[in-house]
Amino acid sequence: MSATCNVVVLLSGTGSNLQALIDSTRTGDSPVRIRAVISNRADAYGLQRARDAGIDTRVLDHKAFEGREAFDAALIEQIDAFNPQLVVLAGFMRILSAGFVRHYQGRLFNIHPSLLPKYKGLHTHQRALEAGDTEHGCSVHFVTEELDGGPLVVQAVIPVELHDTPQSLAQRVHAREHQIYPMAVRWFAEGRLTLDDRGASLDGQLLAASGHLIRH
Ligand code: GRF
């Protein structure tokens, strides 16, 4: 697919994954076009990164809405104004309603700092250390109605070192996030990645339950 793939990114914080996506589109041959960055927090540093890159930004404060459904409906309206083929969650700290997820079925990505299905939710690095895991990592997945569930696209696996702390692990996992997220987004933009009833496929081949695995 040579056409441009419009992407809208949702975030609530620092936006280092957004930065990795922005950097990956600067190669000249990238089919990915980040059309807008939307945050539920006006002070998210990710918005500044977007502005610096000349990308449209919007702020939609969830506190101004009565309930999740109303916020999500307004969010859909804002997102769809940019006509995205793909919506990317990059540290968006909101649980999304079933209606929102269904609206973007097959074109909504999330990144999570663990080897899913392990450690859904928060404090993933701490939990991996406490469990004595020898490997840890991060996952990109299609979003379904199950929190941090949904078919896996790609996982990066790193070894847990003897002296690792939650902070040191977080740092190394983050570095891998910055590699696999742009990779997955590009696959999608090139039309290589699809989702159907059987799961996620890359180049027409059904992916394993773990998604495409990248080690070390
Ligand atoms: C990442 O750790 C990601 O896995 C999680 O939220 C964090 C966002 O980090 N979903 P950043 O804002 O992209 O730096």
Side-chain angles (χ1 to χ4, degrees):
M1 214 200 288
S2 57
T4 305
C5 176
N6 289 328
V7 176
V8 169
V9 178
L10 307 187
L11 52 74
S12 306
T14 313
S16 68
N17 278 288
L18 167 69
Q19 191 63 57
L21 285 168
I22 291 172
D23 295 345
S24 75
T25 63
R26 292 195 163 132
T27 56
D29 67 338
S30 174
V32 177
R33 177 158 178 244
I34 305 174
R35 285 288 289 111
V37 172
I38 304 177
S39 174
N40 62 318
R41 297 184 52 124
D43 61 353
Y45 182 60
L47 289 171
Q48 189 56 45
R49 293 182 192 268
R51 283 184 215 111
D52 290 347
I55 298 169
D56 270 343
T57 60
R58 298 284 184 275
V59 175
L60 197 63
D61 182 357
H62 57 277
K63 294 193 290 300
F65 292 85
E66 273 194 31
R68 198 177 298 287
E69 311 289 332
F71 173 72
D72 282 5
L75 188 56
I76 286 177
E77 208 170 297
Q78 289 227 342
I79 294 170
D80 287 353
F82 293 101
N83 279 320
Q85 279 81 46
L86 179 66
V87 177
V88 168
L89 305 177
F92 188 59
M93 301 305 281
R94 297 279 309 163
I95 292 175
L96 296 162
S97 62
F100 182 97
V101 171
R102 272 198 300 271
H103 184 80
Y104 297 106
Q105 170 97 24
R107 53 193 186 106
L108 180 59
F109 274 179
N110 185 39
I111 188 155
H112 185 76
S114 78
L115 295 175
L116 290 170
K118 276 185 160 185
Y119 314 128
K120 298 176 178 182
L122 300 174
H123 311 300
T124 57
H125 311 300
Q126 175 82 39
R127 287 156 69 198
L129 282 176
E130 279 170 7
D133 290 357
T134 55
E135 290 186 325
H136 186 45
C138 47
S139 311
V140 175
H141 64 95
F142 281 104
V143 176
T144 59
E145 289 173 44
E146 186 197 347
L147 180 67
D148 296 328
L152 288 160
V153 173
V154 51
Q155 292 193 315
V157 183
I158 62 162
V160 176
E161 312 285 356
L162 198 56
H163 300 295
D164 263 326
T165 61
Q167 291 72 28
S168 65
L169 259 188
Q171 217 172 18
R172 295 211 310 286
V173 167
H174 236 122
R176 304 313 301 267
E177 290 184 21
H178 301 158
Q179 295 173 335
I180 65 172
Y181 220 1
M183 181 193 243
V185 168
R186 189 174 178 132
W187 285 345
F188 185 93
E190 290 172 340
R192 298 174 57 191
L193 194 59
T194 50
L195 181 70
D196 63 25
D197 295 346
R198 298 166 307 149
S201 296
L202 181 62
D203 297 329
Q205 293 265 45
L206 200 59
L207 283 165
S210 61
H212 181 80
L213 264 191
I214 297 175
R215 290 186 166 274
H216 315 315

